[in-house]
Amino acid sequence: QVQLLESGGGAVQSGGSLRLSCTASGNSGTTYCMAWFRQPPGKEREWVAVVRSDDRPFYTDSVKGRFTVSEDDAKTTLFLHMDSLKPEDTAMYYCAATPRPSWGCPTTAIDYNAWGQGTQVTVSS
């Protein structure tokens, strides 16, 4: 099973930027769906972005135009570039992976079987 390690969280002021990284290891050649989730304080984990089966990223509405997903050339590191951050973006951010189903990549947490440890993002007003 793939192992995931996130980094890059921190504290910024509203309007600032951060870049999160998720490095994958232990991939035996299986094609994976990769996604970012977040869990705000006292709330359930929610989907942020997913790299779909056609390799185009797909974003939840609240981050469209502000967050961008990219991968390195080796496709071992997934990045989440976060611009124009808002206090409501404050959350623990998680990278997730699952073997890619034939129908595409899911956007629900229960469908992912590999998770990183999370990295905290705090945005102050």
Side-chain angles (χ1 to χ4, degrees):
Q1 183 169 318
V2 67
Q3 290 85 46
L4 305 173
L5 181 65
E6 302 105 333
S7 63
V12 296
Q13 291 189 327
S14 182
S17 299
L18 284 173
R19 186 184 77 164
L20 306 183
S21 300
C22 172
T23 300
S25 61
N27 186 347
S28 61
T30 302
T31 300
Y32 282 87
C33 293
M34 299 289 291
W36 288 98
F37 287 80
R38 67 185 179 185
Q39 188 162 13
K43 297 185 179 180
E44 293 186 354
R45 195 166 298 189
E46 62 186 21
W47 161 69
V48 176
V50 63
V51 181
R52 292 286 200 184
S53 57
D54 58 3
D55 287 337
R56 287 186 296 178
F58 190 66
Y59 305 94
T60 194
D61 287 346
S62 63
V63 307
K64 283 181 181 177
R66 301 188 299 119
F67 290 13
T68 305
V69 169
S70 64
E71 293 181 285
D72 67 348
D73 290 342
K75 294 190 181 295
T76 58
T77 301
L78 187 72
F79 301 101
L80 182 66
H81 306 261
M82 305 184 294
D83 295 320
S84 302
L85 282 162
K86 304 176 181 180
E88 51 264 43
D89 295 317
T90 294
M92 184 71 79
Y93 282 71
Y94 297 91
C95 177
T98 192
R100 182 172 291 171
S102 59
W103 50 265
C105 292
T107 57
T108 49
I110 196 171
D111 291 317
Y112 286 81
N113 60 8
W115 292 85
Q117 83 288 354
T119 185
Q120 178 67 38
V121 171
T122 302
V123 184
S124 58
S125 58

